[in-house]
């Protein structure tokens, strides 16, 4: 079954659906609960909360209550779960499941959305499989009538994975992982600032009893020197390896060493490795000032980040759709994230594979454990290992290469992480990297610096761009650029930036016939908060900007706490691209968003204003309206503010905020750090491959192909190099946006969750676990 099916309001009137959270809590669960409730109501269902997980299902009574629209107002930003979660032994017993089934039947609930880990989801599947037998027993004992049994005889189940550990197979990211990573990185960044003052070694223990995902990604995001994870244990002589590594780092001038330990870390014999053990090794052998930090439940705390809010919202809505389309005896499904796409997988296949990881580790088959974790996990691990090697093995037969890296466009968080990764990957192959200062102008002026492995230490966590950047395009200065490339003997170029970087590469490619010096491999990595580059669904920096907008909107709303009803009109960046406004609208629970790609008029503005007044009459206290900076030439932010002020007079007051360059600031999120790191590693491989391949080098111009000038993007399930000339027809150069943008399909969901009339555009695609491996 394919996605993009439009579903109208009230299409499933009268169906009963319940949502519950069970097991450990995670940030983003509330976004999922909110989406289930509001999507269900939109479709005409009766939607219920089951409080305290399975325990509430067994106990019934006030634990199972019908939800209305305002029941889930102002919860999208909260960590944890507002409907509660609890471990339940009663549900493991048949009598407990009998009570649970009776409680569901009495309320006409035939569909449940289970949000939790593998235990929660396995329990839901077991419950569903024996549901018919449970109802037969309930009828035979007179606890339900024959009519009730016939009417509600089937139970459909859909699962969402809520777990900060990202330990469930079948999905790239589980709800809560991104928020937990943010907490870890905030702690690591804070520790780094104090440790640099005193030349210390810090050992940080993070969660992950059975999974090292948090440790790997936080290691990638913080330039940690060593990580210990359950799936990839070190050999028995790990103390010697660790000490050698730390000595090398200090000899290279590093004042701080960071060691990250997953709480379930073991050695190759399966014996636990503890923080105290590691500290003893470092202190006894190296006499370094060593401290231990155990983050514990801090990782579960705080508001959810934008990614988890959007993920929870998309998954919650898709779960409801999957249940509504399920037939009698349908296989329970899991809503999963594959790349940037929501898909549906058979629930128990994913549970089975998750348990297979645990079994592989139990059998000490570490290779199989990593393989079962999936491509994303293994890619992160390989990238981490690559970037922490210190002494490259030099091959005398390999001729050293010289490549350049530069930025073109506006600054974005993650640019420095990309440069660091690129420099270290090239250095490993004994290459030379010229860091061009201030883009095209710096290249023409010969303003560059040779970057070594040591030069880029500490860059991964810093926002902005150390190399400097400008929006200047090559235009008619190609002769000067070609001359400088020849003078510096540049054999390949990496351009990191936004739409201007893409346009620069295109001009380089189109200038090749007149300037043979441009017949060198060139690759673009998209990095812009606007996410407006063709050939990729995501750009480095947009996750950080989205987080900043979401956090600022949270604070703006909080500033009005205790006042009368108030609506905030907020202008966000993005040029003509409405990505930030749309995704921030989803993450912030906006009541309306205005973007250039979706035309609107004064009638639409009045309708949205009226809709807000209706919601406030029902008890909503705060309103949030987002406007993309170039949504309309005439309906300015000030105009919308004045209109809402006038139309809402006597009902709510209105305030206006223009966020400006705050959106480009802050430190990069873990996603932007790791995304940039992996993209740059692939870009370096691309350049080295084409420089060393005779048929695609400048000395053999006749064979020079378009695929030597590419943009590296993230498209659905994979990283993809697309020839820049192919992307020319996909770009709107006047507005500086792609002609097709995937996120526009989220607009109906945004409107539905804000209680507007809209047709929901379903995105879930049914797949099998085997399909994911292809």
């Amino acid at each position: 079954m394919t996605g993009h099916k439009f579903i109208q309001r009230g299409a499933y009137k009268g169906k009963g659906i319940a949502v519950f959270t069970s097991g450990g809590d995670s940030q983003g669960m509330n976004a999922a609960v909110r989406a289930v409730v509001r999507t269900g109501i939109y479709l005409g269902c009766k939607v219920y909360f089951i409080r305290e997980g399975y325990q509430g299902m067994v106990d019934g009574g006030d634990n199972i209550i019908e939800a209305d629209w305002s029941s889930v107002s102002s919860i999208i930003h909260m960590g944890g779960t507002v409907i509660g979660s609890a471990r339940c032994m009663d549900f493991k017993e048949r009598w407990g499941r009998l009570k649970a089934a009776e409680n569901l039947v009495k309320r006409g609930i035939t569909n449940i959305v289970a949000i939790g880990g593998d235990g929660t989801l396995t329990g839901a599947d077991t419950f569903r499989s024996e549901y018919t037998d449970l109802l037969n027993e309930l009828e035979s004992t007179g606890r339900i009538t024959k009519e009730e049994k016939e009417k509600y005889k089937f139970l459909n189940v859909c699962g969402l994975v809520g777990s900060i550990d990202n330990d469930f197979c079948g999905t790239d990211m589980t709800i809560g992982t991104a928020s937990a990573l943010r907490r870890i990185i905030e702690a690591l960044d804070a520790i780094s600032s104090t440790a640099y003052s005193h030349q210390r070694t810090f050992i940080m223990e993070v969660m992950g009893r059975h999974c090292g995902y948090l440790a790997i990604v936080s290691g990638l995001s913080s330039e940690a020197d060593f990580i210990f994870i359950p799936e990839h244990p070190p050999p028995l002589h790990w103390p010697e390896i660790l000490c050698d590594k730390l000595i090398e780092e200090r000899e290279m001038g590093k004042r701080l060493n960071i060691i990250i330990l997953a709480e379930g870390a073991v050695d190759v014999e399966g014996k636990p490795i503890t923080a105290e053990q590691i500290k003893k090794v470092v202190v006894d052998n190296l006499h370094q000032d060593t401290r231990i930090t155990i983050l514990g439940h801090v990782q579960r705390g705080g508001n959810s980040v934008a990614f988890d809010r959007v993920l929870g919202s998309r998954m919650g809505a898709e779960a409801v759709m999957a249940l509504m389309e399920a037939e009698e005896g349908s296989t329970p499904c899991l809503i999963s994230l594959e790349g940037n796409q929501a898909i549906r997988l058979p629930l128990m296949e994913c549970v089975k594979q998750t348990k297979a990881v645990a079994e592989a580790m139990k059998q000490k088959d570490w290779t199989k454990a990593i393989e079962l974790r999936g491509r994303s996990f293994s890619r992160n691990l390989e990238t981490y290992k690559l970037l922490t090697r210190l002494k490259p093995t030099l091959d005398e037969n390999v001729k050293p290469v010289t490549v350049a890296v530069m930025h073109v466009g506006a600054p974005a968080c993650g640019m420095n992480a990309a440069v660091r990764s690129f420099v270290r990957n090239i250095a490993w192959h004994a290459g030379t990297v010229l860091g061009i200062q201030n883009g095209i102008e710096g290249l023409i002026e010969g303003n560059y610096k040779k970057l070594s492995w040591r030069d880029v230490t500490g860059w991964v966590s810093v926002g902005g761009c150390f190399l400097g950047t400008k929006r200047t395009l090559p235009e008619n200065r190609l002769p000067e650029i070609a001359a400088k490339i020849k003078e510096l003997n540049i054999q390949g170029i990496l351009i990191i930036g936004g739409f201007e970087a893409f346009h620069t590469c295109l001009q380089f490619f189109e200038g090749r016939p007149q300037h043979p010096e441009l017949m060198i491999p060139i690759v673009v990595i998209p990095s812009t908060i606007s996410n407006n580059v063709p050939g990729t669904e995501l750009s480095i920096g947009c996750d950080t900007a989205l987080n900043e907008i979401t956090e600022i909107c949270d604070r703006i709303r909080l500033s009005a706490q205790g006042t009368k009803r108030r609506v905030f009109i907020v202008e966000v960046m993005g040029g003509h691209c409405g990505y930030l406004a749309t995704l921030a609208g989803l993450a912030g629970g906006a009541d309306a968003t205005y973007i250039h790609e979706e035309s609107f008029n004064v009638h639409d503005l009045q309708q949205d204003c009226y809709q807000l007044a209706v919601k406030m009459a029902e008890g909503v206290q705060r309103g949030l309206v987002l406007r993309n900076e170039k949504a309309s030439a005439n309906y300015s932010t000030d105009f919308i503010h004045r209109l809402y002020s006038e139309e809402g007079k006597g009902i709510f007051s209105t305030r206006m905020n223009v966020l400006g360059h705050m959106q480009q600031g802050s430190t990069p999120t873990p996603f932007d750090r790791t995304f940039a790191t992996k993209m740059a590693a692939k870009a370096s491989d691309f350049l080295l491959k084409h420089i060393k391949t005779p048929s695609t080098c400048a000395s053999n111009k006749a064979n020079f192909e378009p695929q030597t000038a590419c943009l590296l993007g993230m498209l659905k399930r994979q990283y993809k190099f697309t020839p820049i000339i192919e992307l020319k027809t996909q770009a709107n150069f006047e507005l500086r946006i792609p002609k097709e943008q995937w996120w526009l399909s989220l607009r109906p969901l945004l409107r539905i969750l804000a209680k507007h009339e809209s047709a929901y555009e379903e995105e879930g695609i049914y797949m099998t676990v085997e399909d994911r491996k292809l």
Side-chain angles (χ1 to χ4, degrees):
M1 173 184 174
T2 58
H4 305 297
K5 175 182 174 185
F6 288 95
I7 312 296
Q8 298 293 334
R9 179 183 288 275
Y12 296 95
K13 195 167 185 179
K15 285 200 173 186
I17 184 169
V19 58
F20 71 95
T21 53
S22 180
D25 64 298
S26 63
Q27 306 98 316
M29 280 183 166
N30 287 325
V33 169
R34 173 179 176 269
V36 169
V37 170
R38 292 193 169 177
T39 306
I41 292 172
Y42 162 80
L43 294 174
C45 304
K46 292 186 75 173
V47 188
Y48 294 84
F49 291 139
I50 300 178
R51 299 190 181 279
E52 311 304 334
Y54 284 119
Q55 192 63 55
M57 197 185 296
V58 172
D59 294 342
D62 292 340
N63 290 303
I64 305 178
I65 58 171
E66 188 172 356
D68 59 27
W69 197 269
S70 59
S71 300
V72 289
S73 291
S74 302
I75 70 166
I76 191 170
H77 64 286
M78 296 180 181
T81 164
V82 296
I83 59 175
S85 179
R87 310 284 180 185
C88 178
M89 301 308 294
D90 294 347
F91 191 78
K92 293 184 177 181
E93 305 294 333
R94 184 174 175 83
W95 65 265
R97 296 193 293 277
L98 273 169
K99 285 187 68 178
E102 180 182 5
N103 288 327
L104 296 184
V105 168
K106 291 299 182 184
R107 290 165 178 80
I109 297 169
T110 55
N111 302 278
I112 57 174
V113 178
I115 307 174
D118 58 347
T120 298
L121 302 179
T122 301
D125 183 71
T126 301
F127 187 45
R128 181 206 61 84
S129 64
E130 65 177 15
Y131 201 67
T132 301
D133 290 341
L134 293 173
L135 263 56
N136 287 335
E137 185 174 336
L138 289 171
E139 186 207 355
S140 67
T141 54
R143 290 164 67 175
I144 63 172
T145 66
K146 184 177 181 181
E147 291 74 17
E148 286 174 327
K149 188 191 85 168
E150 286 302 313
K151 190 174 181 181
Y152 308 118
K153 60 183 176 181
F154 292 105
L155 180 70
N156 291 313
V157 171
C158 186
L160 305 182
V161 188
S163 165
I164 70 166
D165 293 342
N166 203 30
D167 57 354
F168 198 86
C169 296
T171 185
D172 288 346
M173 287 287 276
T174 57
I175 297 169
T177 303
S179 299
L181 278 171
R182 186 62 186 263
R183 299 287 95 76
I184 294 169
I185 292 306
E186 286 172 348
L188 281 167
D189 287 350
I191 280 172
S192 297
S193 61
T194 178
Y196 266 109
S197 304
H198 301 282
Q199 281 196 290
R200 283 179 175 152
T201 294
F202 267 89
I203 301 163
M204 177 173 284
E205 182 183 299
V206 300
M207 284 186 170
R209 193 170 302 154
H210 307 293
C211 180
Y213 184 86
L214 292 177
I216 292 174
V217 177
S218 55
L220 262 178
S221 303
S222 63
E223 300 188 28
D225 302 288
F226 215 92
I227 60 172
F228 293 88
I229 62 171
E231 298 92 340
H232 186 66
L236 294 179
H237 66 293
W238 64 262
E240 181 184 330
I241 298 171
L242 173 63
C243 290
D244 288 345
K245 180 75 191 308
L246 297 182
I247 290 169
E248 283 183 303
E249 292 281 6
R250 288 292 170 98
E251 286 176 348
M252 292 182 72
K254 216 175 173 189
R255 293 177 58 84
L256 159 69
N257 292 121
I258 293 176
I259 301 165
I260 297 178
L261 169 75
E263 61 180 331
V266 294
D267 63 22
V268 286
E269 292 186 344
K271 296 175 183 175
I273 297 175
T274 67
E276 287 294 343
Q277 273 180 277
I278 299 169
K279 180 180 179 180
K280 188 174 189 311
V281 166
V282 176
V283 172
D284 289 354
N285 292 279
L286 305 180
H287 311 291
Q288 292 182 0
D289 186 358
T290 306
R291 306 296 168 91
I292 294 173
T293 299
I294 299 175
L295 288 186
H297 281 73
V298 167
Q299 295 157 87
R300 292 190 190 276
N303 290 355
S304 52
V305 298
F307 182 92
D308 278 327
R309 302 186 198 187
V310 174
L311 181 64
S313 297
R314 290 173 70 183
M315 285 186 165
E318 285 297 323
V320 174
M321 288 312 311
L323 289 172
M324 294 303 101
E325 293 168 3
E327 298 174 351
E328 294 180 1
S330 290
T331 301
C333 72
L334 174 85
I335 306 300
S336 165
L337 186 72
E338 178 73 49
N340 196 38
Q341 184 177 25
I343 61 173
R344 301 173 188 177
L345 292 169
L347 177 70
M348 290 313 293
E349 278 190 38
C350 299
V351 171
K352 184 179 177 182
Q353 188 173 337
T354 302
K355 291 182 175 176
V357 177
E359 184 59 31
M361 290 195 288
K362 185 178 177 183
Q363 298 298 327
K364 301 183 180 60
D365 189 344
W366 313 114
T367 302
K368 185 177 181 182
I370 292 171
E371 180 188 328
L372 288 168
R373 281 283 181 227
R375 288 174 302 171
S376 177
F377 186 94
S378 58
R379 194 184 293 137
N380 283 327
L381 180 58
E382 287 306 312
T383 305
Y384 172 78
K385 289 194 289 185
L386 182 76
L387 294 178
T388 50
R389 295 183 294 193
L390 287 179
K391 292 181 178 178
T393 303
L394 301 180
D395 186 343
E396 294 179 359
N397 298 317
V398 175
K399 190 176 179 181
V401 300
T402 299
V403 294
V405 57
M406 64 180 179
H407 303 301
V408 182
C413 285
M415 283 181 162
N416 289 328
V419 174
R420 167 189 176 262
S421 174
F422 182 70
V423 168
R424 292 198 167 180
N425 276 278
I426 296 295
W428 177 256
H429 292 92
T432 299
V433 179
L434 306 182
I436 308 297
Q437 306 277 350
N438 300 317
I440 293 297
E441 293 179 24
L443 178 59
I444 293 170
E445 294 165 3
N447 186 2
Y448 69 91
K449 177 186 177 184
K450 286 186 179 181
L451 296 174
S452 67
W453 185 286
R454 182 174 173 179
D455 290 330
V456 292
T457 298
W459 282 32
V460 73
S461 61
V462 184
C465 52
F466 286 130
L467 291 180
T469 183
K470 290 189 176 180
R471 296 179 183 271
T472 309
L473 294 172
E475 303 292 357
N476 58 358
R477 304 190 72 181
L478 286 177
E480 297 170 77
I481 293 169
K484 191 57 68 173
I485 288 174
K486 184 176 181 179
E487 177 191 330
L488 298 177
N489 190 32
I490 294 172
Q491 297 165 272
I493 300 176
L494 171 63
I495 308 172
I496 305 170
F499 196 90
E500 295 89 350
F502 153 72
H503 201 174
T504 294
C505 184
L506 180 62
Q507 290 185 357
F508 279 177
F509 179 80
E510 292 179 330
R512 280 177 169 178
Q514 293 76 38
H515 307 286
E517 294 83 2
L518 294 171
M519 290 186 176
I520 57 175
I522 305 169
V523 62
V524 176
I525 294 179
S527 179
T528 166
I529 71 169
S530 303
N531 200 30
N532 63 333
V533 182
T536 189
E537 293 179 353
L538 294 172
S539 302
I540 297 165
C542 60
D543 185 66
T544 303
L546 189 57
N547 251 18
E548 283 302 295
I549 296 167
T550 304
E551 289 178 10
I552 292 167
C553 287
D554 286 350
R555 290 198 291 272
I556 287 172
R557 277 177 155 173
L558 194 62
S559 71
Q561 203 74 30
T563 65
K564 293 179 181 178
R565 292 186 289 264
R566 181 165 289 172
V567 175
F568 294 97
I569 315 294
V570 179
E571 179 183 298
V572 302
M573 281 180 159
H576 285 96
C577 180
Y579 174 83
L580 287 177
T582 298
L583 273 290
L586 259 180
D591 298 280
T593 60
Y594 303 115
I595 63 172
H596 179 269
E597 293 91 341
E598 197 173 85
S599 60
F600 58 96
N601 55 36
V602 72
H603 173 72
D604 297 321
L605 294 171
Q606 288 175 313
Q607 279 294 107
D608 291 344
C609 191
Y610 170 75
Q611 191 70 38
L612 252 173
V614 171
K615 284 193 280 190
M616 289 195 165
E618 295 171 352
V620 175
Q621 292 291 309
R622 306 280 167 267
L624 176 64
V625 175
L626 298 182
R627 177 187 176 274
N628 168 246
E629 61 183 344
K630 293 187 178 179
S632 167
N634 296 310
Y635 298 129
S636 65
T637 305
D638 183 62
F639 176 90
I640 294 173
H641 171 236
R642 290 172 181 273
L643 185 143
Y644 271 76
S645 297
E646 185 63 30
E647 297 294 322
K649 198 175 288 183
I651 303 169
F652 55 77
S653 59
T654 312
R655 297 289 185 272
M656 183 177 80
N657 295 269
V658 178
L659 300 189
H661 284 77
M662 282 189 291
Q663 296 155 84
Q664 289 180 321
S666 192
T667 56
T669 61
F671 176 84
D672 277 331
R673 298 184 194 192
T674 54
F675 188 38
T677 298
K678 288 186 282 188
M679 292 278 271
K682 288 187 174 294
S684 65
D685 290 343
F686 173 92
L687 293 182
L688 290 170
K689 169 192 167 186
H690 286 292
I691 290 170
K692 295 173 182 177
T693 303
S695 63
T696 55
C697 69
S699 62
N700 192 352
K701 303 178 185 64
N703 295 322
F704 214 92
E705 300 292 339
Q707 62 261 30
T708 57
C710 287
L711 181 138
L712 173 58
M714 169 66 84
L715 294 171
K716 289 187 169 64
R717 304 177 62 191
Q718 60 187 355
Y719 295 93
K720 184 178 179 182
F721 289 95
T722 307
I724 208 77
I725 194 66
E726 291 181 14
L727 296 175
K728 185 176 181 179
T729 58
Q730 299 177 28
N732 181 327
F733 287 92
E734 181 185 354
L735 301 179
R736 298 170 60 250
I737 57 174
K739 291 180 180 177
E740 291 187 10
Q741 302 184 94
W742 67 270
W743 51 266
L744 286 170
S745 64
L746 299 179
R747 298 283 300 173
L749 175 61
L750 174 62
R751 293 183 64 79
I752 287 163
L753 296 181
K755 208 173 185 179
H756 288 269
E757 288 292 337
S758 188
Y760 177 67
E761 187 176 354
E762 179 184 8
E763 61 172 312
I765 295 175
Y766 285 109
M767 296 180 71
T768 66
V769 170
E770 290 304 312
D771 289 335
R772 277 190 101 238
K773 297 176 182 177
L774 297 177

